[in-house]
Amino acid sequence: MRSSKGQWALALAVALIVIAEPAFAQGLPQLDSRTFTPQVVWLVIAFVALYLAMSKIALPRIGEVLAERQAKIDSLLKRAEGLKAEAEAVLMAYDKAIAKARTEAQDVVRKTSDSAAKTAADRHTELGTRLGDEIKAAEARVNDTKNKALATIAPAATDIALAVIERLAGEKIDAQALAPAIDATLKERRA
Amino acid sequence: MANPLEQFAVNPLVEIPVAGIDAHFTNSALFMVLAVIAATVFFTASMRGRALVPTRWQSMAEIGYEFIVDMVRDNVGPEGRKYFPFIFTLFMFILFGNLLGLIPYGFTFTSHIIVTFTMAIIVFIGVTLIGIARHGLHFFSFFVPPGVPAVMTPLLVPIEVVSYLSRPVSLSIRLFANMMSGHTMLKVFAGFIVPLGLLAGWAPLAVNVALTGFEFMVAFLQAYVFTVLTCLYLSDAIHLH
């Protein structure tokens, strides 16, 4: 393929030269051997000059700049990776802290609600006891008063009965003799 | 019609006969020097800023550098690193020569067989010497293709030798013929424009516009082909098969 392209170009060149036949009569300048030496001499001079300029000045400079850039990119990438790892660590710590705080909060809530419930229950019991006591005391007082009142009924009834009998019958009766009858009547009424 | 081959004529600008050697500074030499100056300025001035983020010019210089670095690495391998400055110089010298030749009234020194042949023979001799220096006499095993029956060797070795010796010829003729034919065509079509007049002169003009674009591609492509083949020859010398 390589040589076929060269051959194609050469054939085309030859064809064009044939077309420009009068020109060809003067000969191809490329084949004029008098131009060979000066061209080779100056080719060597120019090529060596370019080689020195490129290898001593231009290429090291470009290579340096490219290496510098690569180093910079590498260092920045490394730094970015470090920062990313750091950010991930921070995120992880944050998640951990959040989880811990949540657990703690739940703990506190549970404890508080437990203690509140306990206090409420305690107070409730206490209140119940106190109320029970007060009720009992009140009942005792009521009974006491009632008994006292009941106890005064019998003598009062005896006095009234004696006064009634004295007025009606005109005779005095011993209070002792009346007592059983009054007691019986009071018992009957109270029942 | 103007002589389409006139553009290839080499004329001395300054006559310098040094000790019997004809070292005249010709128009060909002028364009060689211009190519050297243009390439040197391009690759040094553009890098003056040494910018971390390259400017457009610096970017072009870096692309050129990396293009050749990749070419050498892909075709020769890590051992080719030593020859990178030479390959780079070769490519840029041919490329700048080709491109400067496209300037109207310019001169294309790569269209001269003696120039391309000198470069090709330097590459050929250099590559052969590198091969012999690396492998000693073992280098000549290069002419015996591997995996070939012993009976065939007497037949194949001469073929391989001829093929090897024809490398500088094909290398130099390819570049020279491409540049010469392209520039001749440009000149032939240009010569038709005015004689054909306002009516038909547009056709060769249009062809010339297209050809000029095509020649830019050829200028690059031929520099690339010459350099890639140099790399391949170098790779052969370093790795043998």
Side-chain angles (χ1 to χ4, degrees):
Chain A
M1 185 215 97
R2 299 183 213 143
S3 58
S4 78
K5 194 158 187 246
Q7 279 163 3
W8 177 85
L10 194 61
L12 194 70
V14 169
L16 285 166
I17 290 159
V18 170
I19 291 167
E21 204 257 320
F24 189 58
Q26 294 164 22
L28 215 75
Q30 279 92 335
L31 299 179
D32 181 355
S33 62
R34 282 172 304 167
T35 72
F36 286 3
T37 339
Q39 288 208 90
V40 171
V41 166
W42 281 98
L43 170 65
V44 171
I45 293 171
F47 197 90
V48 168
L50 186 63
Y51 180 80
L52 290 177
M54 293 294 114
S55 63
K56 301 284 174 222
I57 307 167
L59 296 180
R61 196 184 289 183
I62 300 175
E64 255 169 52
V65 169
L66 291 179
E68 240 168 66
R69 181 176 308 146
Q70 196 55 48
K72 180 94 183 172
I73 288 170
D74 286 348
S75 83
L76 284 178
L77 273 180
K78 210 179 222 172
R79 223 175 84 194
E81 261 166 34
L83 287 176
K84 197 183 161 208
E86 210 176 288
E88 267 165 13
V90 167
L91 187 66
M92 222 179 229
Y94 168 79
D95 281 344
K96 226 178 189 172
I98 284 276
K100 200 177 149 209
R102 195 165 287 151
T103 327
E104 273 175 7
Q106 277 170 351
D107 245 27
V108 168
V109 166
R110 191 154 35 82
K111 263 187 208 156
T112 312
S113 91
D114 279 1
S115 81
K118 199 168 163 242
T119 316
D122 282 358
R123 291 251 177 90
H124 192 256
T125 324
E126 200 189 319
L127 192 65
T129 325
R130 212 176 69 211
L131 286 177
D133 286 354
E134 275 177 17
I135 285 168
K136 261 182 209 154
E139 271 174 358
R141 270 203 315 278
V142 165
N143 272 344
D144 206 29
T145 315
K146 187 177 158 193
N147 287 343
K148 266 185 200 153
L150 283 176
T152 51
I153 283 172
T158 313
D159 285 349
I160 290 167
L162 283 178
V164 167
I165 290 169
E166 200 178 320
R167 189 74 62 81
L168 288 176
E171 69 183 288
K172 284 201 180 211
I173 296 176
D174 190 26
Q176 296 292 325
L178 211 56
I182 284 173
D183 278 352
T185 313
L186 278 177
K187 260 187 194 143
E188 192 179 309
R189 287 287 164 84
R190 207 178 292 170
Chain B
M1 196 163 74
N3 184 349
L5 297 180
E6 204 184 293
Q7 58 177 322
F8 301 118
V10 176
N11 305 310
L13 303 174
V14 184
E15 307 219 347
I16 315 170
V18 186
I21 300 170
D22 181 3
H24 299 328
F25 190 77
T26 59
N27 49 353
S28 169
L30 173 67
F31 273 80
M32 289 176 193
V33 171
L34 284 179
V36 170
I37 293 171
T40 307
V41 167
F42 177 66
F43 283 105
T44 51
S46 58
M47 295 304 294
R48 181 159 295 165
R50 288 167 173 264
L52 195 64
V53 178
T55 58
R56 272 179 270 185
W57 284 96
Q58 186 181 331
S59 203
M60 283 197 286
E62 284 173 8
I63 287 168
Y65 180 94
E66 285 182 330
F67 180 67
I68 306 296
V69 166
D70 289 348
M71 188 199 287
V72 172
R73 199 194 45 224
D74 294 347
N75 293 301
V76 189
E79 303 96 328
R81 184 71 216 176
K82 237 191 324 184
Y83 309 106
F84 164 69
F86 177 80
I87 302 285
F88 186 87
T89 308
L90 190 65
F91 178 81
M92 289 306 161
F93 188 66
I94 297 171
L95 180 66
F96 276 77
N98 290 351
L99 290 176
L100 286 175
L102 281 171
I103 296 171
Y105 300 103
F107 182 89
T108 322
F109 59 79
T110 44
S111 70
H112 271 256
I113 182 72
I114 185 65
V115 175
T116 60
F117 188 74
T118 305
M119 290 193 291
I121 204 77
I122 288 170
V123 167
F124 176 76
I125 292 171
V127 160
T128 308
L129 288 179
I130 288 167
I132 291 173
R134 280 186 84 98
H135 303 288
L137 286 177
H138 188 62
F139 171 72
F140 295 99
S141 74
F142 181 68
F143 300 116
V144 186
V148 166
V151 200
M152 296 291 282
T153 351
L155 188 67
L156 282 171
V157 168
I159 293 176
E160 287 289 323
V161 171
V162 168
S163 138
Y164 188 77
L165 291 177
S166 69
R167 277 176 173 187
V169 178
S170 69
L171 193 58
S172 56
I173 288 185
R174 182 179 306 107
L175 176 57
F176 143 74
N178 268 287
M179 298 321 292
M180 187 183 125
S181 62
H183 283 259
T184 310
M185 266 204 290
L186 277 176
K187 192 76 175 193
V188 167
F189 280 103
F192 281 124
I193 296 173
V194 175
L196 287 179
L198 274 179
L199 215 61
W202 300 103
L205 180 64
V207 170
N208 242 16
V209 170
L211 274 181
T212 305
F214 182 71
E215 280 306 306
F216 271 101
M217 191 195 80
V218 169
F220 175 81
L221 193 69
Q222 288 306 317
Y224 176 74
V225 167
F226 197 101
T227 322
V228 157
L229 286 174
T230 301
C231 286
L232 291 176
Y233 297 161
L234 190 58
S235 172
D236 279 346
I238 290 172
H239 306 116
L240 291 185
H241 288 288

